[in-house]
Amino acid sequence: MIANFPSFLLNTVSLDLTLSPLYRIHGQEAPALPGLLALAPPRKTARGREQDRLVLYLLLTGNATFTSAEYTKLAEDAGAAFHQTAGPLTSALRAVAGFINQTLLDRNLSTSGRGQYAIGWLALMAVRDTQCTFLLSGPMHAYLLGQEARHIFEPGLSGKGLGVGQAVPHYFTQTTLAPNDRILLTGKVPAAWEATLATPGAASLEATRRRLLTLTTEDLHSVLMQATPGAGGFSVLQRTGPTPADMPHEEAPAPVPAEPTPAPVPASTESLPPSEPAESIPEPEPTEPEPQPAESYPAHLVGPSAYAIPTEEAASASKPVVRPLRADDFPASIPRAKPKAADPLPIAESTDGSAPEPEPETVEAEAPAAPRPRRRHPSRAAEEASPFLRQTAKLILGAIEGGRRLVRRSDEGLRKFLPRLLPGNEAGETRPLPDATLFFLAMVIPLIIGTLGLMAYFRFGVSQQYDTYLAQAYNARKTAASQTDPVMQSNTWSEVLLYVDKAESYRKTDETRMLREEANGQLDQLQGVRRLKFQAAFSNGLGIEISRMAATESDLYLLDAKTGEVLRASISANGNFQIDKTFNCKPGEYGSYKVGPLQDILAMPLMNMANATLLGVDGAGNLLYCAPNQVPVAKPLPAPNTNWGLLKAVTLDSGNLYALDAPANAVWVYTGKDSEFVDLPYFFFSSQVPSLQDGIDLAVRADELYVLHADGHLTRCSYSRLDVRPTTCQELTLVNPFPALRDSNLFAQAHFTQMIYTVPPDPTILLLDADNHVVMRLSPTSLELQNQFRPVAGSVPSGMIGAMTTSPNHILFLAVGDQVYYTTEMP
């Protein structure tokens, strides 16, 4: 079906698109392809959709029943969602896929009690000027035929289809159309098409159509398109297929429930004669055919047997429905029930006089017509196998057969030759070989043949697979270089990395290494990523679980989460850090005070009256002053009037100590006097108190307080020293300024566990994404993302980052497991 709109709305489009359905059922071409929709922009569109045309191609698989009205409405509603979605093109395409997925999912949930389901395979093609963007969901194929031949098929990314879950699996790719380019969309590729679709070159639409139809006699459900110079219009070539009354009596199918009404033909539609039907096995006469509904056409003219949705029994059908799925449409691996005994069917004689192959056992859906013989179809796996795999299989089978012949000949020869070597055998009598010798030969020779076959595969097969994926990576690289949309550039460079990964699964070379470096470099530039090279701080692991770190220009302090003890390390001349085994800073009794496991640690200023280099605090508000070669000194913080809940984090700013007590929903401020805190604290907030029960970290600069919550969001509070103006707080929205990331919620995907406010002259907020090995650098005023710091590949091992800190001389430390990694490249 197609929607026509005034041509002046499409004056920016320079190519017309002509669509030609390839739709054959049991040797007969059907006049219209259900699930095919072509839409030009309507008069009123969402912003960004004014110049976008859409081709929607939907296949429904499963065992549920769809009426023609439901099938048509699903396609039309999904197409309308495209032009009603503003923003990036990819968002509009995802909206279409999401609408179909939700519709099918709701329907599947409502019919799950009856064991019925429907799965949608979807191909969307959006055309803007000469740019063509594809979205594929499910195992759909797209072929681009022009000066080059390109096959788009990524089942690992496009998933199983729509309607099976809340997630919407999809795969994006983009290309540039040129005049006379042809595009083929299909869910099933006959093996006979592979050579033709892999051959580039110019050809007319009708010539390509005729060749594809004559190459195979299988059922077809595809759409072929061609771009031609024009004003941006659509046309659909529809064939007028023969009706049951026009067919010979022995080929007329039994009447079944109605199918979707064919799409109306627009003004530009041409009417072409039907193609000649392929020869098929004669079918038995139907039993007492029922009259066809007035607004339907026979089910044998509907979607192919490999895809169509099954129908209910014709006698009880009140609405036109789609043709039932037949058992011979399934791969051979699916178990099939044996049919009930029936009268033998007439069998057509082979043209060469040989007996025809027996028909496979099938399960027929209930229908008023008698069963008809089915043409045998090869399995899906065999059809989709590449020529190389088939050639390899032939090579291995040939080697096995050759090995068997060699065993037989060797056995016969040895039986004749070896007895002649024995004394007293001049008469030439034959003696049988011992059983042990025969057993040895039977075991060794097949092993030799198998080894030779494996050597041939690894010598030639692996090389061909590597070359295939490498060529696909170069094609994707070429596409990425020609694109201007940052989102599509990012997606295509990710596609390059995918093909490089596949190529390197067979062999790693300098070419794959250079391609990987180029793709990563382009992605980093598009996404604001800066790669930093880290190195290990210690020669071996420390055997502790690091939860917090603090650093000075020469020392590094590590808090062990298991014991609550602090370790000190100092840098050596060779660049590694050495543990100071004499350093003492751990829980215990110090004078009349008892200090529990430390919760947080802070590096003290160089000049302080306590003569300490590190300040630790436990959950009850007890401070522990530590320094090398000194006994720690414990001093309790004066408890607030509400007493302590659990002190989670502390920070120092301008000599004052800020303490986060999350369970008490409070931040307490202690005024420092000679690095000691002896006065009662004051409450940071006034009338407006934010929710802090899930607070995990805090940072302070002047009168600005930042609190990091467990779910990753930030709260900023501005302290007011005036009675007439209260302290105010607000939830912050982080800003992502990089266009390549506009379709992804970067901050929602992150797992922030720690926050640091770096020192001037370039103050920034650092947020640690522990799961993804990312440190995000943001402006403290606008909260706009400036950079993403990521380790150079291989410099930091996988695993969750436990802690982060920076030193006054801009060294960044990351703790993974019981090891620390640092870099001096942080700006």
Side-chain angles (χ1 to χ4, degrees), residues 414-444:
L414 290 173
R415 286 177 183 273
K416 294 179 181 179
F417 175 72
L418 291 180
R420 299 178 185 273
L421 301 179
L422 300 176
N425 194 35
E426 289 80 1
E429 65 272 15
T430 300
R431 297 183 181 181
L433 290 176
D435 291 340
T437 302
L438 294 176
F439 177 77
F440 173 77
L441 292 175
M443 294 295 293
V444 170

Side-chain angles (χ1 to χ4, degrees), residues 202-224:
S204 67
L205 181 67
E206 185 59 26
T208 305
R209 172 189 170 85
R210 285 197 303 268
R211 178 162 180 79
L212 294 179
L213 289 174
T214 55
L215 283 175
T216 181
T217 59
E218 299 178 22
D219 290 352
L220 301 177
H221 193 290
S222 310
V223 57
L224 180 66

Side-chain angles (χ1 to χ4, degrees), residues 231-506:
F234 274 128
S235 61
V236 176
L237 304 181
Q238 295 182 340
R239 268 68 178 170
T240 305
T243 64
D246 299 329
M247 295 187 224
H249 179 67
E250 63 272 16
E251 294 186 0
V256 296
E259 255 312 299
T261 303
V265 181
S268 59
T269 301
E270 303 175 22
S271 179
L272 298 179
S275 301
E276 290 293 328
E279 294 183 3
S280 60
I281 299 175
E283 299 184 2
E285 292 186 18
T287 60
E288 298 182 3
E290 298 177 5
Q292 289 287 347
E295 297 181 0
S296 66
Y297 47 87
H300 76 291
L301 298 180
V302 182
S305 58
Y307 309 115
I309 297 297
T311 182
E312 297 176 350
E313 189 174 354
S316 62
S318 60
K319 298 180 179 181
V321 292
V322 183
R323 159 202 175 291
L325 186 69
R326 295 175 178 155
D328 58 353
D329 299 330
F330 287 95
S333 60
I334 299 180
R336 306 175 184 177
K338 294 184 178 180
K340 296 180 180 180
D343 295 336
L345 301 175
I347 304 298
E349 295 184 357
S350 173
T351 56
D352 59 0
S354 60
E357 285 189 41
E359 294 293 321
E361 295 179 346
T362 61
V363 179
E364 294 293 339
E366 294 183 5
R372 302 190 298 275
R374 308 285 186 238
R375 184 183 297 105
R376 179 172 181 151
H377 295 281
S379 68
R380 183 184 300 268
E383 290 179 350
E384 295 183 356
S386 67
F388 166 72
L389 292 179
R390 291 199 297 274
Q391 188 65 28
T392 303
K394 291 179 181 179
L395 177 63
I396 294 175
L397 290 175
I400 293 174
E401 182 61 28
R404 290 174 179 171
R405 290 196 298 268
L406 180 60
V407 170
R408 290 196 296 268
R409 292 176 182 176
S410 300
D411 183 26
E412 294 173 359
L414 290 173
R415 286 177 183 273
K416 294 179 181 179
F417 175 72
L418 291 180
R420 299 178 185 273
L421 301 179
L422 300 176
N425 194 35
E426 289 80 1
E429 65 272 15
T430 300
R431 297 183 181 181
L433 290 176
D435 291 340
T437 302
L438 294 176
F439 177 77
F440 173 77
L441 292 175
M443 294 295 293
V444 170
I445 293 179
L447 288 176
I448 295 175
I449 299 300
T451 302
L452 292 176
L454 288 175
M455 291 175 62
Y457 171 74
F458 286 113
R459 174 66 180 86
F460 302 104
V462 170
S463 177
Q464 184 166 347
Q465 292 286 358
Y466 166 83
D467 292 340
T468 299
Y469 286 125
L470 186 63
Q472 291 175 327
Y474 274 114
N475 288 336
R477 172 179 175 268
K478 182 180 179 181
T479 302
S482 64
Q483 290 170 340
T484 57
D485 181 23
V487 175
M488 296 306 303
Q489 281 184 319
S490 179
N491 292 340
T492 311
W493 282 114
S494 298
E495 185 179 340
V496 173
L497 288 178
L498 176 65
Y499 288 129
V500 169
D501 288 338
K502 292 181 178 180
E504 288 188 339
S505 66
Y506 294 96

